[in-house]
């Protein structure tokens, strides 16, 4: 996503040099969000991005893995030989974390690539019994699709609730009920001891029969190939980019799931693993590549992060970053079908999560961007448009 968007943005912004897009996967570049939704259920064949690369003069080198970067030579190493560059954009995304000891056990799956989704389709089509390890975004979306297909689904989560890393307990609490309502058995505080062919064994000794196991326990930046390049990495192994998405090595940028950036807005370094970041970041990268040639001051990437998830018949959307918030205001009943939680710092809206309330999300995102002060009492009234709850 971020690689394609960078190439397209470069052309949109008037870049006339050669653009080469190198990717390890053999498929035409595609979108990942449908992989845990329509592609998995077979209602969409694939999710190829609708970009005419030839017309844009973008050379695609697919099925080509990059194994190293030699900045002093301005060259990449690939299995078919070195590739020179004037400017390099690192957009290698993230890789799913594997479950220790489960590699090679038949029936154990990850869900990151189109090939992964194609391997999982027959599991759903045959309505197999599945165990999902991890109640995060991928686990919830896969469980949703598997239930829709008629599979028996058990979700095993080491923490005490779903989305424990992403959301505070009070916000994730209502989501626990979504699993049961959808006919999914959710087992929290449950650690996997081992996976055997046909079963997942938990550390309390219970044995969960499983024709297939989906491991959804997170993703890590795909940066191992940068070892020895001198590119500075951050605490999660991601490329530590600066505010203009340049790296510690000259002429090298980094964007998307593989890179973090310092957010002036939130006063901390952010590593965002969501689609919108892979759409917006590339525009800054392209502007800075084009601008460097003409001596423009660098553009700064400082977004209000945004993502969505479709799970258990609900459309969940999030904007902002709530780490430094000091209170929450709820709009609507958490037990109901539609509600929003707003995070405030002082009177400023800094983040919100909307379930089935896309207008709240759209209006809230703009208010977060503008740093608008809100009236907490008006904000708590779900019948009022969110934008009408500005402080007087
Ligand atoms: C199943 C699934 C569902 C998702 N659903 C949502 C959603 O609903 N909402 C949302 O906001 N986000 C969603 N996301 C997240 C979103 O898709 C990612 O944030 C986005 O794809 C990141 O784009 P990227 O370009 O940084 O990385 P990627 O899309 O992962 O692209 C990186 C590419 O680099 C290639 N590559 C890696 N290493 C090398 C190498 N050494 N040499 C050559 N090529 C290499 C990889 O093969 C890959 O094709 C989902 C992700 C997945 C996996």
């Amino acid at each position: 996503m971020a690689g394609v968007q960078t190439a397209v943005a470069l052309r949109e912004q008037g870049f006339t040099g050669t653009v080469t897009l190198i990717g390890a996967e053999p498929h035409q570049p595609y979108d990942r969000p449908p992989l845990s939704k329509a592609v998995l259920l077979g209602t969409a064949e694939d999710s190829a991005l609708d970009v005419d690369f030839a017309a844009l003069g973008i050379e695609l080198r697919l099925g080509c893995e990059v194994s190293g970067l030699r900045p002093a030579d301005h060259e990449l190493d690939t299995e078919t030989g070195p590739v020179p560059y004037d400017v390099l954009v690192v957009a290698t995304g993230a890789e799913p974390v594997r479950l220790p000891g489960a590699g090679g056990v038949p029936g154990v799956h990850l869900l990151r690539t189109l090939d992964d989704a194609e391997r999982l389709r027959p599991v759903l089509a045959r309505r197999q019994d599945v165990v999902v390890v991890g109640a995060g975004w991928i686990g919830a979306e896969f469980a949703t699709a598997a239930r829709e297909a008629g599979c028996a689904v058990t979700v095993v989560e080491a923490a005490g609730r779903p989305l424990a890393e992403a959301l505070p307990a009070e916000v994730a609490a209502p989501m626990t009920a979504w699993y049961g309502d959808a006919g999914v058995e959710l087992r929290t505080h449950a650690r996997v001891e081992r996976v055997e062919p046909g079963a997942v064994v938990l550390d309390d000794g219970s044995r969960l029969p499983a024709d297939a196991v989906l491991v959804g326990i997170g993703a890590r930046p795909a940066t191992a190939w940068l070892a020895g390049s001198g590119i500075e990495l951050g605490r999660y192994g991601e490329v530590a980019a600066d505010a203009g998405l340049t790296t510690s090595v000259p002429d090298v940028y980094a964007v998307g799931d593989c890179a973090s950036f310092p957010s002036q807005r939130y006063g901390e370094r952010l590593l965002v693993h969501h689609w919108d970041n892979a759409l917006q970041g590339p525009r800054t990268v392209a502007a800075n590549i084009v601008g460097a040639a003409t001596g423009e001051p660098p553009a700064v990437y400082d977004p209000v992060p945004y993502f969505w998830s479709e799970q258990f018949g609900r459309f969940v959307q999030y904007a902002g970053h709530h780490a430094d918030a000091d209170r929450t205001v709820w709009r609507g009943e958490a037990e109901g079908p539609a509600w929003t939680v707003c995070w405030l710092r002082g009177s400023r809206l800094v983040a919100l999560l909307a379930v089935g309330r896309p207008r709240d999300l759209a209006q809230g995102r703009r208010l977060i961007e503008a740093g608008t002060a809100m009236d907490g009492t008006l904000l708590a009234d779900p019948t009022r448009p969110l934008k009408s709850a500005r402080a007087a």
Side-chain angles (χ1 to χ4, degrees), residues 63-363:
C64 178
E65 180 148 3
V66 177
S67 53
L69 164 62
R70 286 176 288 106
D73 302 324
H74 270 61
E75 274 184 351
L76 293 173
D77 288 318
T78 76
E79 50 211 357
T80 52
V83 177
Y85 66 83
D86 294 321
V87 176
L88 173 70
V89 180
V90 176
T92 45
E95 296 163 335
V97 176
R98 288 161 195 274
L99 192 64
V105 178
V108 177
H109 297 260
L110 300 166
L111 179 49
R112 179 79 196 178
T113 65
L114 182 57
D115 289 343
D116 292 335
E118 279 173 356
R119 279 188 286 267
L120 280 161
R121 260 193 205 160
V123 170
L124 270 63
R126 291 190 206 121
R127 298 182 186 168
Q128 293 187 325
D129 291 354
V130 294
V131 170
V132 178
V133 183
W137 302 111
I138 296 287
E141 293 203 353
F142 178 81
T144 301
R147 279 303 296 148
E148 207 170 315
C151 298
V153 182
T154 304
V155 176
V156 173
E157 168 58 53
R161 59 178 194 273
L163 293 165
E165 277 184 31
L167 296 174
E170 63 158 336
V171 178
M175 298 176 171
T176 302
W178 299 355
Y179 286 74
D181 293 348
V184 174
E185 191 189 348
L186 173 65
R187 298 184 65 142
T188 52
H189 300 295
R191 287 198 164 268
V192 175
E193 166 96 15
R194 62 182 186 279
V195 181
E196 299 171 348
V200 172
V201 182
L202 302 182
D203 64 356
D204 66 1
S206 45
R207 206 166 176 281
L208 309 175
D211 299 317
V213 179
L214 187 274
V215 178
I217 55 173
R220 295 284 171 266
T223 55
W225 65 279
L226 291 169
S229 68
I231 286 205
E232 190 188 326
L233 301 182
R235 58 198 285 224
Y236 302 105
E238 85 284 5
V239 178
D242 70 9
L245 300 179
T246 60
T247 71
S248 59
V249 162
D251 304 321
V252 181
Y253 295 76
V255 65
D257 281 9
C258 69
S260 63
F261 54 90
S263 165
Q264 286 173 16
R265 189 184 289 279
Y266 294 107
E268 62 178 290
R269 181 164 281 281
L270 298 183
L271 173 60
V272 179
H273 277 188
H274 297 296
W275 187 91
D276 191 63
N277 179 55
L279 175 71
Q280 310 290 350
R283 293 177 187 155
T284 301
V285 172
N288 286 339
I289 293 172
V290 172
T294 56
E296 295 283 319
V300 167
Y301 186 56
D302 198 7
V304 170
Y306 164 74
F307 66 87
W308 79 96
S309 171
E310 292 158 55
Q311 46 179 283
F312 308 116
R314 289 163 178 91
F315 190 41
V316 180
Q317 295 168 287
Y318 179 98
H321 181 66
H322 61 262
D324 68 351
D326 45 37
R327 66 182 169 126
T328 53
V329 174
W330 287 74
R331 290 166 58 77
E333 297 296 321
E335 297 75 33
W339 46 270
T340 296
V341 59
C342 302
W343 281 269
L344 300 175
R345 179 165 173 79
S347 60
R348 271 189 321 112
L349 186 64
V350 291
L352 90 167
L353 180 119
V355 177
R357 292 180 64 99
R359 279 204 186 128
D360 277 4
L361 189 287
Q363 294 175 12

